[in-house]
Amino acid sequence: MSRNHIPFFAEARESFLMAMSALAAHKLRSALTLLGVLIGVFSIIVVMTAIRAMESDIDRQLSSLGSQTFVIRKWPGLFLGASDADFQKYWRRKDITMAQGKRLQEKTSLPAAVGMESTLWSGEISTRYKSSAPDVDLYGDTPGSFPAHNWIPAEGRVLLDADVDSARYVCVLGAALAENIFPNSSPVGDQVKIDGINYIVVGVLEGQGGALGGDQDNFAVIPLTTALNRYGRWRSLDVLVQARDRASYEATMEEARGAMRVIRKVPPGQDDDFEIDSNDSLIAQFDSFTRDVRIGAALISSIALLAAGVGIMNIMLVSVTERTREIGIRRSIGAKRRNIMAQFIMEAIVLCEVGGVAGVALGILGGNALAGLLKFAPVIPFDWVVIGLVICSIVGVIFGTYPAYKAAHLDPIESLRYE
């Protein structure tokens, strides 16, 4: 290290220690001043932490679609920012039927798999051992849905075309549901009761973990024809299409779009009367929504930090007045203006950083507490922690510069006479 660097670091260290000493001498005033910074930083960190936890969980759930898979449905997968006019447009669309799904499968050659699905209800499933909580999701599916969802059998098998063609009373269980209602035995070959009807369990799927505050493995799947016979054919189906590889993904989507327009008799030049959603499109919609929330949180926090900055400037000006004689003594024994300025700017920065660190800590705790209530995994938004602390330093420099300049330019003789 060069000799020029040693005095610089020594002066910075001295300024920091003197700043800490001055703040410690006025604990209540310092605490009240940094409270504004704490609130500003807390408000942005708590929102960003909660959003980051939600994003992480939702991204994982949306990614439950298999690789290179997209969904054709009547309604959009997410309704973020939809207007009444949008709802009316979606409502007027014709339902997607099983016959249309079969024709799509016949008319397309690029997909690796085409499946159809209907979400039926959330309710209770019972066995001779015990009953589940009334929160089990029941789906009606065709065999092509399993690769599209990344549903892999851990035990037994998945649904077959013969199960769908014959509308058999068989089912496949998610891992968590199977473990819950068959605690001490294998479910395969045993029976479960769904809405008073017995179904034979033919398979159990590998676990996928939790998402969106719930459990992705707490569900049962029955053949789609059985579902339509039991719960009505009035419902619109989702068609899941899986491309063979990433290179053919766009081509597969365009082929499916064109075939679906022909099947549903959409005139040339008119918009599609169905939606095509993929992992990327759903995540992009959600990210667009959370971006607006982040901007709103940043604006609110900026107002709080601006108010805190004004408070810091005010308290620093009071401090300059109180320490006028001290400044005069320091100047008379050789302290330079830059030393005085460095000390007062350092005090403002330290004040902001102490408030910022406290705000970051409380914000992370508060955000993760909120995430915990929603059963999301805890996260630490490191990027926003750094941004928050940098903003605190900038606020300290901006609002501490004028008081520091005023202190540094006091007349030494007049300052020594000050009582």
Side-chain angles (χ1 to χ4, degrees):
M1 184 179 293
S2 67
R3 291 184 178 180
N4 291 332
H5 289 163
I6 295 175
F8 171 80
F9 287 113
E11 289 178 8
R13 179 175 178 274
E14 181 184 357
S15 297
F16 175 78
L17 293 175
M18 293 184 70
M20 291 298 294
S21 176
L23 295 177
H26 302 87
K27 295 182 179 63
L28 180 60
R29 185 172 70 185
S30 300
L32 292 175
T33 304
L34 64 83
L35 186 61
V37 179
L38 186 154
I39 292 172
V41 175
F42 169 81
S43 61
I44 192 169
I45 295 298
V46 71
V47 171
M48 298 309 170
T49 301
I51 287 177
R52 187 63 53 83
M54 191 185 304
E55 283 179 336
S56 176
D57 210 80
I58 287 180
D59 286 355
R60 186 168 65 252
Q61 196 222 32
L62 294 179
S63 296
S64 64
L65 284 178
S67 178
Q68 290 90 51
T69 297
F70 55 91
V71 184
I72 302 174
R73 49 167 61 104
K74 174 181 176 179
W75 303 84
L78 293 175
F79 285 95
L80 301 176
S83 64
D84 290 340
D86 292 329
F87 279 108
Q88 291 295 325
K89 179 182 72 173
Y90 303 142
W91 183 259
R92 287 194 296 267
R93 289 174 173 175
K94 295 178 292 185
D95 290 340
I96 295 177
T97 65
M98 191 169 180
Q100 291 176 358
K102 287 182 177 179
R103 289 188 63 195
L104 178 69
Q105 193 168 6
E106 294 167 357
K107 284 180 169 292
T108 53
S109 58
L110 294 178
V114 177
M116 286 167 278
E117 180 177 79
S118 178
T119 302
L120 303 173
W121 53 246
S122 290
E124 178 183 284
I125 293 180
S126 59
T127 68
R128 56 197 172 101
Y129 302 105
K130 62 182 295 189
S131 297
S132 71
D135 60 354
V136 177
D137 293 324
L138 181 65
Y139 302 109
D141 279 275
T142 61
S145 301
F146 286 81
H149 273 301
N150 269 341
W151 287 343
I152 301 170
E155 188 178 353
R157 63 173 175 84
V158 297
L159 298 180
L160 304 175
D161 288 328
D163 298 325
V164 177
D165 294 341
S166 301
R168 293 172 178 165
Y169 285 91
V170 296
C171 68
V172 178
L173 306 181
L177 176 62
E179 184 178 354
N180 179 27
I181 59 178
F182 290 96
N184 301 310
S185 64
S186 170
V188 177
D190 213 326
Q191 290 186 339
V192 298
K193 184 166 288 188
I194 305 174
D195 278 347
I197 301 295
N198 288 324
Y199 291 76
I200 301 297
V201 179
V202 296
V204 178
L205 301 175
E206 291 183 355
Q208 295 185 329
L212 285 178
D215 194 330
Q216 289 191 97
D217 302 314
N218 189 39
F219 67 91
V221 185
I222 62 176
L224 181 58
T225 47
T226 307
L228 296 178
N229 291 340
R230 288 280 299 153
Y231 299 100
R233 296 179 175 273
W234 49 266
R235 62 190 69 244
S236 184
L237 306 181
D238 293 343
V239 180
L240 293 81
V241 183
Q242 185 181 43
R244 298 182 187 278
D245 49 45
R246 193 66 195 175
S248 63
Y249 182 79
E250 294 296 332
T252 303
M253 186 180 292
E254 287 307 310
E255 183 187 45
R257 184 194 301 274
M260 204 64 180
R261 287 179 63 90
V262 172
I263 292 168
R264 290 171 66 83
K265 299 178 181 179
V266 180
Q270 288 193 10
D271 294 337
D272 297 338
D273 66 346
F274 52 87
E275 299 291 322
I276 296 183
D277 291 324
S278 64
N279 289 336
D280 294 340
S281 66
L282 293 174
I283 290 172
Q285 289 180 53
F286 181 75
D287 288 346
S288 175
F289 169 74
T290 57
R291 189 182 306 118
D292 295 338
V293 176
R294 286 194 292 266
I295 292 172
L299 290 175
I300 293 171
S301 301
S302 298
I303 295 171
L305 288 172
L306 179 63
V310 172
I312 288 170
M313 179 181 287
N314 179 59
I315 209 69
M316 294 302 295
L317 288 172
V318 171
S319 180
V320 169
T321 303
E322 290 179 344
R323 294 156 62 186
T324 298
R325 186 172 179 80
E326 173 196 328
I327 295 168
I329 293 173
R330 291 193 64 197
R331 289 297 308 279
S332 66
I333 61 176
K336 298 178 181 178
R337 286 179 173 174
R338 63 185 177 88
N339 301 123
I340 305 297
M341 282 198 69
Q343 178 187 346
F344 278 86
I345 290 177
M346 185 66 74
E347 285 184 24
I349 293 174
V350 168
L351 200 61
C352 286
E353 287 298 335
V354 171
V357 169
V360 165
L362 293 176
I364 291 174
L365 291 174
N368 281 316
L370 180 59
L373 291 175
L374 298 173
K375 297 183 180 179
F376 297 146
V379 298
I380 299 178
F382 290 104
D383 51 346
W384 282 101
V385 168
V386 173
I387 290 171
L389 295 179
V390 169
I391 290 175
C392 286
S393 296
I394 293 172
V395 169
V397 171
I398 291 175
F399 289 95
T401 297
Y402 175 68
Y405 179 85
K406 184 176 180 181
H409 287 77
L410 288 175
D411 183 85
I413 304 300
E414 295 297 325
S415 297
L416 287 171
R417 291 176 180 172
Y418 183 84
E419 295 294 339

Coordinates of all heavy atoms in Angstrom, one line a residue, residues 199-250:
Y199 N -63.0 -46.9 -6.5 CA -62.1 -46.9 -7.7 C -60.9 -47.8 -7.3 O -60.4 -47.8 -6.1 CB -61.5 -45.5 -8.0 CG -62.6 -44.6 -8.5 CD1 -63.5 -44.0 -7.7 CD2 -62.5 -44.3 -9.9 CE1 -64.5 -43.1 -8.3 CE2 -63.5 -43.4 -10.4 CZ -64.4 -42.8 -9.6 OH -65.4 -41.9 -10.1
I200 N -60.4 -48.6 -8.2 CA -59.2 -49.4 -8.0 C -57.9 -48.5 -8.3 O -57.8 -47.9 -9.3 CB -59.1 -50.6 -8.9 CG1 -60.4 -51.5 -8.7 CG2 -57.9 -51.4 -8.7 CD1 -60.5 -52.1 -7.3
V201 N -57.0 -48.5 -7.3 CA -55.7 -47.8 -7.5 C -54.8 -48.6 -8.4 O -54.5 -49.7 -8.1 CB -55.1 -47.5 -6.2 CG1 -53.8 -46.7 -6.4 CG2 -56.0 -46.7 -5.3
V202 N -54.4 -48.0 -9.6 CA -53.5 -48.7 -10.5 C -52.1 -48.2 -10.4 O -51.2 -48.8 -11.0 CB -54.1 -48.7 -11.9 CG1 -55.4 -49.4 -12.0 CG2 -54.2 -47.2 -12.4
G203 N -51.9 -47.0 -9.8 CA -50.5 -46.5 -9.8 C -50.4 -45.3 -8.8 O -51.4 -44.7 -8.4
V204 N -49.1 -45.1 -8.4 CA -48.8 -43.9 -7.6 C -47.6 -43.2 -8.2 O -46.7 -43.8 -8.8 CB -48.3 -44.4 -6.2 CG1 -47.9 -43.2 -5.3 CG2 -49.4 -45.2 -5.5
L205 N -47.8 -41.9 -8.3 CA -46.8 -41.0 -9.0 C -45.6 -40.6 -8.1 O -45.8 -40.6 -6.9 CB -47.5 -39.8 -9.6 CG -48.6 -40.0 -10.5 CD1 -49.3 -38.7 -10.9 CD2 -48.1 -40.8 -11.8
E206 N -44.5 -40.3 -8.7 CA -43.4 -39.8 -8.0 C -43.7 -38.4 -7.4 O -44.5 -37.6 -8.0 CB -42.2 -39.6 -8.9 CG -41.6 -40.9 -9.3 CD -40.3 -40.8 -10.1 OE1 -40.0 -39.6 -10.4 OE2 -39.7 -41.8 -10.5
G207 N -43.2 -38.1 -6.2 CA -43.5 -36.8 -5.6 C -42.9 -35.6 -6.3 O -41.8 -35.7 -6.9
Q208 N -43.6 -34.5 -6.3 CA -43.1 -33.2 -6.9 C -42.9 -32.1 -6.0 O -42.4 -31.1 -6.3 CB -44.1 -32.8 -8.1 CG -44.1 -33.8 -9.2 CD -45.0 -33.3 -10.4 OE1 -45.9 -32.5 -10.1 NE2 -44.7 -33.6 -11.6
G209 N -43.3 -32.3 -4.7 CA -43.2 -31.2 -3.7 C -44.3 -30.2 -3.6 O -45.3 -30.4 -4.3
G210 N -44.1 -29.2 -2.8 CA -45.2 -28.2 -2.6 C -45.1 -27.1 -3.5 O -44.0 -26.8 -4.1
A211 N -46.2 -26.3 -3.7 CA -46.2 -25.1 -4.5 C -47.5 -24.4 -4.2 O -48.5 -24.9 -3.8 CB -46.2 -25.5 -6.0
L212 N -47.4 -23.0 -4.3 CA -48.5 -22.1 -4.1 C -49.2 -22.3 -2.7 O -50.4 -22.3 -2.6 CB -49.5 -22.3 -5.2 CG -49.1 -21.6 -6.6 CD1 -50.2 -21.9 -7.6 CD2 -48.8 -20.2 -6.4
G213 N -48.4 -22.6 -1.7 CA -48.9 -22.8 -0.4 C -49.6 -24.1 -0.2 O -50.2 -24.3 0.8
G214 N -49.5 -25.0 -1.2 CA -50.2 -26.3 -1.0 C -49.2 -27.4 -1.3 O -48.0 -27.3 -1.3
D215 N -49.8 -28.6 -1.7 CA -49.0 -29.8 -2.0 C -49.4 -30.2 -3.4 O -50.5 -30.6 -3.7 CB -49.2 -30.8 -1.0 CG -48.2 -31.9 -1.0 OD1 -47.6 -32.2 -2.1 OD2 -47.9 -32.5 0.0
Q216 N -48.4 -30.3 -4.3 CA -48.6 -30.7 -5.7 C -49.0 -32.2 -5.8 O -49.5 -32.7 -6.8 CB -47.4 -30.4 -6.6 CG -47.2 -29.0 -6.8 CD -46.1 -28.8 -7.9 OE1 -46.4 -28.6 -9.1 NE2 -44.9 -28.8 -7.5
D217 N -48.7 -32.9 -4.7 CA -48.9 -34.4 -4.8 C -50.2 -34.8 -4.1 O -50.4 -36.0 -3.9 CB -47.7 -35.1 -4.1 CG -46.4 -34.7 -4.8 OD1 -46.3 -34.7 -6.0 OD2 -45.4 -34.4 -4.1
N218 N -51.0 -33.9 -3.7 CA -52.2 -34.2 -3.0 C -53.4 -34.2 -4.0 O -54.3 -33.4 -4.0 CB -52.5 -33.2 -1.9 CG -53.7 -33.6 -1.0 OD1 -53.8 -34.8 -0.7 ND2 -54.5 -32.6 -0.6
F219 N -53.4 -35.2 -4.9 CA -54.4 -35.3 -5.9 C -54.6 -36.7 -6.4 O -53.8 -37.6 -6.1 CB -54.0 -34.4 -7.1 CG -52.8 -34.9 -7.9 CD1 -53.0 -35.8 -9.0 CD2 -51.5 -34.5 -7.5 CE1 -51.9 -36.2 -9.7 CE2 -50.4 -34.9 -8.2 CZ -50.6 -35.8 -9.3
A220 N -55.7 -36.9 -7.1 CA -56.0 -38.2 -7.7 C -56.4 -38.0 -9.2 O -57.0 -36.9 -9.5 CB -57.1 -39.0 -7.0
V221 N -56.1 -39.0 -10.0 CA -56.5 -38.8 -11.5 C -57.3 -40.0 -11.9 O -57.0 -41.2 -11.6 CB -55.2 -38.8 -12.3 CG1 -55.5 -38.6 -13.8 CG2 -54.2 -37.8 -11.8
I222 N -58.4 -39.8 -12.5 CA -59.3 -40.8 -13.0 C -59.4 -40.7 -14.6 O -59.1 -39.6 -15.1 CB -60.7 -40.8 -12.4 CG1 -61.4 -39.5 -12.7 CG2 -60.6 -41.0 -10.9 CD1 -62.9 -39.4 -12.2
P223 N -59.8 -41.7 -15.3 CA -60.0 -41.5 -16.8 C -61.0 -40.4 -17.1 O -62.0 -40.2 -16.4 CB -60.5 -42.9 -17.2 CG -60.1 -43.8 -16.1 CD -60.1 -43.0 -14.9
L224 N -60.7 -39.7 -18.2 CA -61.5 -38.5 -18.5 C -62.9 -38.9 -18.8 O -63.8 -38.2 -18.5 CB -60.8 -37.8 -19.7 CG -61.5 -36.5 -20.2 CD1 -61.6 -35.5 -19.1 CD2 -60.8 -35.9 -21.4
T225 N -63.1 -40.0 -19.5 CA -64.5 -40.5 -19.9 C -65.2 -40.8 -18.6 O -66.4 -40.4 -18.5 CB -64.4 -41.7 -20.8 OG1 -63.5 -42.7 -20.2 CG2 -64.0 -41.3 -22.2
T226 N -64.6 -41.4 -17.6 CA -65.3 -41.7 -16.3 C -65.7 -40.4 -15.7 O -66.8 -40.2 -15.1 CB -64.3 -42.5 -15.4 OG1 -63.9 -43.6 -16.1 CG2 -65.0 -42.9 -14.2
A227 N -64.7 -39.4 -15.7 CA -65.0 -38.1 -15.1 C -66.2 -37.4 -15.8 O -67.1 -36.8 -15.1 CB -63.8 -37.2 -15.2
L228 N -66.2 -37.4 -17.1 CA -67.3 -36.8 -17.8 C -68.7 -37.5 -17.6 O -69.7 -36.8 -17.5 CB -67.0 -36.7 -19.3 CG -65.8 -35.9 -19.7 CD1 -65.6 -35.9 -21.3 CD2 -65.9 -34.4 -19.3
N229 N -68.6 -38.8 -17.5 CA -69.9 -39.5 -17.2 C -70.4 -39.2 -15.8 O -71.6 -39.1 -15.6 CB -69.6 -41.0 -17.3 CG -69.4 -41.5 -18.8 OD1 -69.8 -40.8 -19.7 ND2 -68.8 -42.6 -19.0
R230 N -69.5 -39.1 -14.9 CA -69.8 -38.9 -13.5 C -70.2 -37.4 -13.1 O -71.1 -37.1 -12.4 CB -68.7 -39.3 -12.5 CG -68.5 -40.8 -12.5 CD -69.4 -41.5 -11.5 NE -69.3 -40.9 -10.2 CZ -70.3 -40.9 -9.2 NH1 -71.5 -41.3 -9.6 NH2 -70.1 -40.4 -8.0
Y231 N -69.4 -36.5 -13.7 CA -69.5 -35.1 -13.3 C -70.1 -34.1 -14.4 O -70.1 -32.9 -14.2 CB -68.2 -34.6 -12.8 CG -67.7 -35.4 -11.6 CD1 -66.8 -36.4 -11.8 CD2 -68.2 -35.1 -10.4 CE1 -66.3 -37.1 -10.7 CE2 -67.8 -35.9 -9.3 CZ -66.8 -36.9 -9.4 OH -66.4 -37.6 -8.4
G232 N -70.5 -34.7 -15.6 CA -71.1 -33.9 -16.6 C -70.2 -33.5 -17.7 O -69.0 -33.3 -17.5
R233 N -70.7 -33.4 -18.9 CA -70.0 -33.1 -20.1 C -70.0 -31.7 -20.5 O -69.6 -31.3 -21.6 CB -70.5 -34.0 -21.3 CG -70.2 -35.5 -21.0 CD -70.7 -36.4 -22.2 NE -70.4 -37.8 -21.9 CZ -69.3 -38.3 -22.3 NH1 -68.4 -37.6 -23.0 NH2 -69.0 -39.6 -22.1
W234 N -70.6 -30.8 -19.7 CA -70.7 -29.4 -20.0 C -69.4 -28.6 -19.8 O -69.3 -27.5 -20.3 CB -71.8 -28.8 -19.1 CG -71.5 -29.1 -17.6 CD1 -72.1 -30.1 -16.9 CD2 -70.7 -28.4 -16.7 NE1 -71.6 -30.1 -15.6 CE2 -70.8 -29.1 -15.5 CE3 -69.8 -27.3 -16.8 CZ2 -70.0 -28.7 -14.3 CZ3 -69.1 -26.9 -15.7 CH2 -69.2 -27.6 -14.5
R235 N -68.4 -29.2 -19.2 CA -67.2 -28.5 -18.9 C -66.3 -28.4 -20.1 O -66.2 -29.3 -20.9 CB -66.5 -29.2 -17.7 CG -66.1 -30.5 -17.9 CD -65.6 -31.3 -16.6 NE -66.7 -31.5 -15.7 CZ -66.8 -31.0 -14.5 NH1 -65.9 -30.2 -14.1 NH2 -67.8 -31.3 -13.8
S236 N -65.5 -27.3 -20.1 CA -64.5 -27.1 -21.1 C -63.2 -27.8 -20.7 O -62.7 -27.7 -19.6 CB -64.2 -25.6 -21.4 OG -63.3 -25.5 -22.5
L237 N -62.5 -28.5 -21.6 CA -61.3 -29.3 -21.3 C -60.0 -28.5 -21.7 O -60.1 -27.5 -22.5 CB -61.3 -30.6 -22.1 CG -62.5 -31.5 -22.0 CD1 -62.3 -32.7 -22.8 CD2 -62.8 -31.8 -20.5
D238 N -59.0 -28.8 -21.0 CA -57.6 -28.4 -21.4 C -57.0 -29.4 -22.2 O -57.0 -30.6 -21.9 CB -56.8 -28.1 -20.1 CG -57.3 -27.0 -19.2 OD1 -58.1 -26.2 -19.8 OD2 -56.9 -26.9 -18.1
V239 N -56.3 -29.0 -23.3 CA -55.6 -29.9 -24.2 C -54.1 -29.6 -23.9 O -53.6 -28.5 -24.2 CB -55.9 -29.7 -25.6 CG1 -55.1 -30.7 -26.5 CG2 -57.4 -29.9 -25.9
L240 N -53.3 -30.6 -23.5 CA -51.9 -30.5 -23.2 C -51.1 -31.1 -24.4 O -51.4 -32.3 -24.8 CB -51.6 -31.2 -21.9 CG -52.1 -30.6 -20.6 CD1 -53.6 -31.1 -20.4 CD2 -51.3 -31.0 -19.4
V241 N -50.2 -30.3 -24.9 CA -49.5 -30.7 -26.1 C -48.0 -30.7 -25.7 O -47.5 -29.6 -25.3 CB -49.8 -29.9 -27.3 CG1 -49.0 -30.4 -28.5 CG2 -51.3 -29.8 -27.6
Q242 N -47.3 -31.8 -26.0 CA -45.8 -31.8 -25.7 C -45.1 -32.0 -27.0 O -45.3 -32.9 -27.8 CB -45.5 -33.0 -24.8 CG -44.0 -33.0 -24.3 CD -43.7 -34.2 -23.4 OE1 -44.2 -35.3 -23.7 NE2 -43.0 -34.0 -22.4
A243 N -44.1 -31.0 -27.2 CA -43.3 -31.1 -28.4 C -42.2 -32.2 -28.3 O -41.9 -32.6 -27.1 CB -42.6 -29.8 -28.7
R244 N -41.6 -32.7 -29.4 CA -40.6 -33.7 -29.3 C -39.3 -33.2 -28.7 O -38.6 -33.9 -28.0 CB -40.4 -34.3 -30.7 CG -41.6 -34.9 -31.3 CD -41.3 -35.6 -32.6 NE -42.6 -36.1 -33.2 CZ -43.2 -37.2 -32.9 NH1 -42.6 -38.0 -32.0 NH2 -44.3 -37.6 -33.5
D245 N -39.0 -31.9 -29.0 CA -37.8 -31.3 -28.4 C -37.9 -29.8 -28.5 O -38.9 -29.3 -29.1 CB -36.5 -31.8 -29.2 CG -36.7 -31.7 -30.7 OD1 -37.2 -30.6 -31.2 OD2 -36.4 -32.7 -31.4
R246 N -36.9 -29.1 -28.0 CA -37.0 -27.7 -27.9 C -36.9 -27.1 -29.3 O -37.5 -26.1 -29.6 CB -35.8 -27.1 -27.1 CG -35.9 -25.6 -26.7 CD -37.1 -25.4 -25.8 NE -37.5 -24.0 -25.7 CZ -38.6 -23.6 -25.0 NH1 -39.4 -24.4 -24.4 NH2 -38.8 -22.3 -25.0
A247 N -36.2 -27.7 -30.2 CA -36.0 -27.2 -31.6 C -37.3 -27.2 -32.3 O -37.6 -26.3 -33.2 CB -35.0 -28.0 -32.3
S248 N -38.2 -28.1 -32.1 CA -39.5 -28.2 -32.8 C -40.7 -27.6 -32.0 O -41.8 -27.7 -32.4 CB -39.8 -29.7 -33.1 OG -40.0 -30.4 -31.9
Y249 N -40.3 -26.9 -30.8 CA -41.4 -26.4 -30.0 C -42.3 -25.4 -30.7 O -43.5 -25.5 -30.7 CB -40.8 -25.8 -28.7 CG -41.7 -25.3 -27.7 CD1 -42.4 -26.2 -26.8 CD2 -42.0 -23.9 -27.6 CE1 -43.3 -25.7 -25.9 CE2 -42.9 -23.5 -26.6 CZ -43.5 -24.4 -25.8 OH -44.4 -23.9 -24.8
E250 N -41.7 -24.4 -31.3 CA -42.4 -23.3 -31.9 C -43.2 -23.9 -33.1 O -44.4 -23.5 -33.3 CB -41.5 -22.2 -32.4 CG -40.8 -21.4 -31.3 CD -41.8 -20.7 -30.4 OE1 -42.9 -20.3 -30.9 OE2 -41.5 -20.5 -29.2

